[in-house]
Amino acid sequence: MTALAHPLTEDTDPYVLPPTELAALLFDAPWRRYAVFGDSLSVGAGDVTPGYADLGWPTRVERVLRMVRPDLEYLNTARIGATTAQALAEQGERIHDFAPDLLHVNSGANDIVRRELDWDQIEHGLRTMYRFAAATRAQIAVYTLGRAFVIPVFPDWGDRLRRLNDLTRTLAREFDAVLVDSEDHPLNDRPNLLSEDGIHFSTSGQAILATLMVRELAHRLA
């Protein structure tokens, strides 16, 4: 039988763990103030996949953290389309005032959607963002971009994405961030992964991203 005859759901997806199992992985998590900063990846934007809840990955992670810490405070300032400079200018003060102890900082995708790129400027902007995040004293967390995320108008898009992901990995190591490296995860090969816009992961992908993030957070605690 084909995959279409038996479509996956959250209950049958091998890459998705239920909230109770994810919460068990974080049973001793210390975080009580969870903030999310950045662009559409940090928003968790995406179309609904049948069989999966209409939830982005940040809300899913919040749900798990709240099961562990019912007094959890949560703030998501992310905006679709924000560049790194815009995110810092628009969201930085709210994040600072919130004083998170766990801070997600994805950015950079909109920095590379330009005809001409200045990689020194892109690196400077991202490094400034990580320095800002580190100054909050929160545990930093971040994803690399999945290779399924493609902007066809740029013939060198694959090179752009890989270079941005390499920069993300470098900064994650430098600033001791929890890194979920989704660039080559098998979810990228799913035919129903992308939303209708061909850019954002649908809720099946969001569910997988949330599971991957919780696993990496648990690994850090261990």
Side-chain angles (χ1 to χ4, degrees):
M1 302 296 288
T2 67
L4 289 177
H6 296 285
L8 292 172
T9 68
E10 287 201 35
D11 293 335
T12 61
D13 194 319
Y15 297 119
V16 177
L17 290 179
T20 52
E21 291 187 30
L22 292 174
L25 294 176
L26 296 181
F27 73 95
D28 58 348
W31 304 299
R32 297 176 184 273
R33 301 186 66 80
Y34 174 43
V36 180
F37 167 101
D39 54 26
S40 59
L41 176 53
S42 295
V43 170
D47 295 346
V48 178
T49 306
Y52 293 78
D54 185 10
L55 297 172
W57 74 261
T59 304
R60 291 172 179 273
V61 174
E62 176 206 1
R63 176 177 61 182
V64 171
L65 290 170
R66 198 176 298 282
M67 292 173 70
V68 178
R69 298 286 185 184
D71 59 345
L72 180 80
E73 297 290 336
Y74 172 61
L75 174 68
N76 190 330
T77 62
R79 177 176 67 80
I80 294 173
T83 64
T84 302
Q86 289 169 342
L88 280 167
E90 298 169 4
Q91 304 170 36
E93 184 174 358
R94 291 180 63 197
I95 294 293
H96 175 270
D97 291 346
F98 182 72
D101 55 14
L102 177 61
L103 175 59
H104 188 89
V105 295
N106 257 103
S107 192
N110 295 306
D111 297 341
I112 63 173
V113 185
R114 299 287 185 273
R115 190 175 302 278
E116 300 293 336
L117 299 183
D118 182 337
W119 282 102
D120 288 339
Q121 183 179 33
I122 291 170
E123 180 174 357
H124 174 75
L126 287 170
R127 187 173 296 278
T128 300
M129 180 191 74
Y130 276 81
R131 285 175 178 155
F132 161 80
T136 68
R137 300 186 180 276
Q139 171 62 63
I140 303 170
V142 67
Y143 292 103
T144 58
L145 298 177
R147 57 180 165 75
F149 169 45
V150 177
I151 306 295
V153 70
F154 299 110
D156 64 337
W157 181 258
D159 292 336
R160 295 181 181 213
L161 183 140
R162 285 187 291 273
R163 186 165 180 176
L164 178 62
N165 281 344
D166 284 344
L167 180 55
T168 298
R169 295 182 187 104
T170 296
L171 291 169
R173 287 192 298 270
E174 183 175 336
F175 288 87
D176 196 30
V178 170
L179 173 69
V180 176
D181 200 337
S182 62
E183 180 176 339
D184 287 318
H185 189 279
L187 91 163
N188 288 278
D189 298 318
R190 292 192 171 185
N192 66 342
L193 174 66
L194 295 178
S195 298
E196 189 173 341
D197 61 14
I199 296 174
H200 300 103
F201 284 7
S202 64
T203 53
S204 60
Q206 301 289 329
I208 295 171
L209 288 178
T211 293
L212 293 174
M213 177 56 71
V214 171
R215 285 185 179 278
E216 288 301 326
L217 290 172
H219 181 71
R220 174 58 59 95
L221 292 175

